[in-house]
Amino acid sequence: MAVWSVDYSTFDDCQFICSGSDDKTVRVWDVDNNKQIQSFNGHSSFINCVKFSHIIIIIISKMSFVLHHLTKLFQLQIFNEYGSVNAIEFSPFNGGRYLCSGSLDKRIGLYDIETSKLLHVFNGHKSYVWCVDISPLQSNNNKMNNIGVIGGNGYTICSGSCDNTIRIWDIETAKQFNVFNGHELWIKSIKYGSNELSNTILSGSNDKSVRLWDIRYGKQIQVFNGHTGCVRTVEYSPFVIKNNIGNSNVICSGSLDNTIRFWDIRSNKEELYTIKGINDEADGILCIKYISLKKKVNEDNYGIYLYYGSKKGHIRVWG
């Protein structure tokens, strides 16, 4: 069964990954011991997406999100939506208190999971919302990051849709303030950059391209071509190429062509490196997640590994 989503977090100095699958289960794994420690069963539909926040896992299943306790077999909360939910993201501020969702009803919702309230609805897409992300934590705004309000923080949401557009929304006003056009088919994955790349957005699409966008100037910066299938997932890589120490200039993308490709954002040239999936994963790569493990590579370095899920139901590690 396909593994659609993988996420990572640490609790009590332990490292965990969770995964969601077509088999209608969510599984939690102890990374340090390479063992499954929990399985959440009984969902009525396949699991589209999973995310960690504190000791809570949130699962998308049909027209609802379900909150589960990490170590106990019971549901904490259910949020119902009008359309099938495609994507979720927890806020990087306020301890992950806020939850953003994108769904087939063309809407984006923003929820307060502590009060179980829908705070905002963002309308504007002409078709299904397939992916969402929330802008990264602002280090210059620590006071506002620690209080229980959203307004005034300057955070934004970006969304990718089957209307082939990327839209950016102001969280405080719930208004759209930018639209990016360029992709020729559905947008399947979207990510905000961080640190020096915090003014960029990375996207992958059914048109087989990976694109980088500049938020400040409202335009496309780069197009990376090479995949021969839909680009299902994109990530900013922690790896650094020489002459750019301290700031990663590498991105990566996973595709239904059964490859993960690495690109240097300073160049439109061919990819830096390609990971080809195992033969029995011929249906493609669905999700990727970077994890920095506690196992040392040497005295000065901790190992960075890439976990990825495929349509054949495996979670594999590359490093």
Side-chain angles (χ1 to χ4, degrees):
M1 295 286 189
V3 176
W4 290 101
S5 181
V6 174
D7 201 20
Y8 164 80
S9 193
T10 58
F11 301 112
D12 298 328
D13 202 36
C14 296
Q15 298 180 298
F16 301 99
I17 61 169
C18 62
S19 59
S21 168
D22 267 351
D23 65 7
K24 304 179 184 179
T25 69
V26 174
R27 300 173 189 267
V28 183
W29 312 79
D30 183 328
V31 175
D32 298 321
N33 297 311
N34 198 29
K35 291 182 178 180
Q36 178 181 308
I37 62 167
Q38 194 63 276
S39 177
F40 298 97
N41 306 307
H43 295 284
S44 60
S45 179
F46 69 89
I47 309 302
N48 232 2
C49 183
V50 291
K51 293 288 180 181
F52 273 120
S53 179
H54 300 307
I55 60 169
I56 295 173
I57 302 172
I58 188 160
I59 302 109
I60 296 179
S61 181
K62 257 188 173 176
M63 297 174 70
S64 63
F65 346 130
V66 183
L67 275 65
H68 285 284
H69 194 281
L70 174 62
T71 59
K72 300 176 182 178
L73 290 174
F74 62 84
Q75 294 179 357
L76 296 175
Q77 203 167 355
I78 298 178
F79 293 89
N80 293 310
E81 287 230 336
Y82 295 104
S84 181
V85 184
N86 285 327
I88 50 170
E89 192 64 49
F90 282 107
S91 64
F93 55 90
N94 293 83
R97 174 174 176 173
Y98 302 105
L99 173 72
C100 177
S101 69
S103 63
L104 295 187
D105 63 6
K106 310 174 188 177
R107 307 189 313 166
I108 297 138
L110 186 68
Y111 294 83
D112 184 333
I113 62 172
E114 291 188 9
T115 64
S116 303
K117 290 183 178 179
L118 174 63
L119 301 177
H120 291 316
V121 175
F122 304 83
N123 291 300
H125 279 296
K126 308 300 182 185
S127 187
Y128 309 150
V129 177
W130 201 269
C131 47
V132 293
D133 199 13
I134 301 178
S135 56
L137 191 66
Q138 299 171 11
S139 59
N140 62 345
N141 205 8
N142 290 327
K143 289 183 179 180
M144 293 299 290
N145 287 330
N146 293 324
I147 64 176
V149 298
I150 297 179
N153 280 341
Y155 289 97
T156 60
I157 291 169
C158 66
S159 55
S161 168
C162 295
D163 64 11
N164 305 346
T165 69
I166 296 167
R167 297 172 189 255
I168 303 178
W169 315 81
D170 184 278
I171 287 181
E172 180 182 5
T173 65
K175 292 182 178 179
Q176 174 186 298
F177 70 83
N178 211 340
V179 181
F180 294 126
N181 294 283
H183 279 296
E184 298 174 4
L185 292 172
W186 298 4
I187 297 160
K188 286 296 183 69
S189 182
I190 194 165
K191 292 288 180 182
Y192 276 104
S194 58
N195 301 322
E196 289 88 344
L197 297 175
S198 61
N199 289 308
T200 65
I201 290 174
L202 186 63
S203 63
S205 166
N206 274 13
D207 65 13
K208 307 175 186 178
S209 72
V210 178
R211 299 176 189 242
L212 190 69
W213 311 82
D214 190 306
I215 300 171
R216 293 166 299 181
Y217 298 103
K219 65 179 183 179
Q220 179 179 287
I221 306 172
Q222 300 273 31
V223 181
F224 303 94
N225 295 305
H227 281 295
T228 58
C230 163
V231 179
R232 186 64 178 72
T233 178
V234 293
E235 286 284 353
Y236 289 83
S237 167
F239 301 131
V240 175
I241 301 298
K242 61 182 180 180
N243 301 324
N244 201 14
I245 302 300
N247 176 32
S248 174
N249 46 277
V250 177
I251 61 172
C252 73
S253 52
S255 168
L256 297 188
D257 66 10
N258 204 31
T259 67
I260 300 171
R261 299 174 189 254
F262 296 81
W263 320 81
D264 187 338
I265 64 174
R266 301 169 301 178
S267 168
N268 267 335
K269 296 179 181 179
E270 293 182 2
E271 62 265 17
L272 297 169
Y273 188 79
T274 300
I275 301 174
K276 295 183 179 180
I278 308 300
N279 289 336
D280 63 3
E281 294 172 350
D283 286 332
I285 308 298
L286 297 178
C287 54
I288 53 180
K289 189 72 177 180
Y290 283 103
I291 298 177
S292 180
L293 300 183
K294 290 185 290 186
K295 300 174 183 177
K296 286 188 177 182
V297 175
N298 55 52
E299 285 302 317
D300 302 315
N301 233 343
Y302 285 90
I304 297 174
Y305 294 83
L306 181 64
Y307 283 65
Y308 65 92
S310 75
K311 276 198 171 183
K312 292 298 183 181
H314 301 116
I315 301 172
R316 299 190 184 274
V317 186
W318 182 85

